[in-house]
Amino acid sequence: MINQELIGKWSTPVENWIEKGAVRKFAEAIGDQNPIYVDETYAKNSRYGRIIAPPTFVRTLEYGVIEGLVIPTEGLIHGEQQFHFERPLYVGESLWCSYCLGDTYSRSGSLGKMTFLIFEEKGVTSQGETVFTSRSTVIMTQRSDT
Amino acid sequence: MRYPVGTSLPTLVKGPITKMDLVKYSGASGDFNPIHTIEEFAEQAGLGGIIAHGMLSMAYVGQVVTDFAGIDADLVDFGVRFRAMVRPGDKVICKGTVSKVEEKEDGEYVYLQVIAETENNQVVIKGNATLRY
């Protein structure tokens, strides 16, 4: 069971550098050949003026630790994923990322008792500019509860 | 109006997904959950074998959206629900449609519905995205 008192408690933000090599490898891994993710010259001439990261790259960042929150590592199902962008992530910048457990509730379903964990994440520049917010729904099945 | 409601986005077919694709995605994403790479582990977890990362399929769908957006539009929102598992050997067919267009103060918003399915028409991802021109 997840301690309900942890709802709304944010992790201490962690600094993430958006590295050129990491973005290139990610773009390769998802098979996206858009030059905006890899080609310096192309990206310089785009309206962003620099290389950007693919939208789902956000999910690869580190978000820190919420003290007291223990989540099983097995039997988890990624149910939903939402991203909201104020702008793309720029290669070469650093973002301070943190997350919190926004909500949790249980339902009975085809897999038995399922516990839904709704996580909120955000990435903020050192200047305090929020670049993205996201929400991830993770489902704990009975298998992960035991 | 830039794109009438009902406009179809170009379909993107990814795969067939190989186990090596999943090893690569694990490395590139930092998601080393062995259900995506180690057959024995995935079997023991009751999954009947390796399954692909949901986020890999989401990235595929994301490419449909960003390809359509080109360099003129900002991606404002992108969200999906994961509906079914994708396995090595599956093709992931990603599609999208313009569902709404709205003129706002800061630009023209184009709302998209996106979907990913396997070759046997199993829907694996359903979602939506918002572009601002």
Side-chain angles (χ1 to χ4, degrees), chain A residues 47-48 55 85, chain B residues 2-3 9 61-78 97-104 106-114 128-133:
Chain A
R47 69 202 175 97
Y48 300 118
F85 296 96
Chain B
R2 193 179 300 264
Y3 298 106
L9 278 58
V61 174
Q63 189 184 337
V64 171
V65 174
T66 51
D67 281 353
F68 182 70
I71 49 166
D72 297 327
D74 290 315
L75 177 64
V76 180
D77 284 298
F78 179 31
T97 323
V98 175
S99 59
K100 193 169 104 179
V101 181
E102 205 175 9
E103 200 66 52
K104 290 192 185 178
D106 59 341
E108 186 179 31
Y109 283 70
V110 175
Y111 299 85
L112 308 171
Q113 277 176 356
V114 291
N128 44 66
T130 308
L131 302 176
R132 182 181 51 224
Y133 286 87

Side-chain angles (χ1 to χ4, degrees), chain A residues 74 143, chain B residues 18-27 31-53 86-88:
Chain A
E74 287 183 34
R143 189 181 175 89
Chain B
T18 64
K19 290 182 183 176
M20 185 53 81
D21 290 335
L22 303 183
V23 170
K24 273 193 193 166
Y25 187 79
S26 295
D31 179 352
F32 289 104
N33 189 330
I35 59 172
H36 304 305
T37 46
I38 300 172
E39 204 68 64
E40 295 85 343
F41 192 94
E43 291 280 355
Q44 277 170 22
L47 295 168
I50 285 175
I51 62 166
H53 307 73
V86 173
R87 296 179 186 278

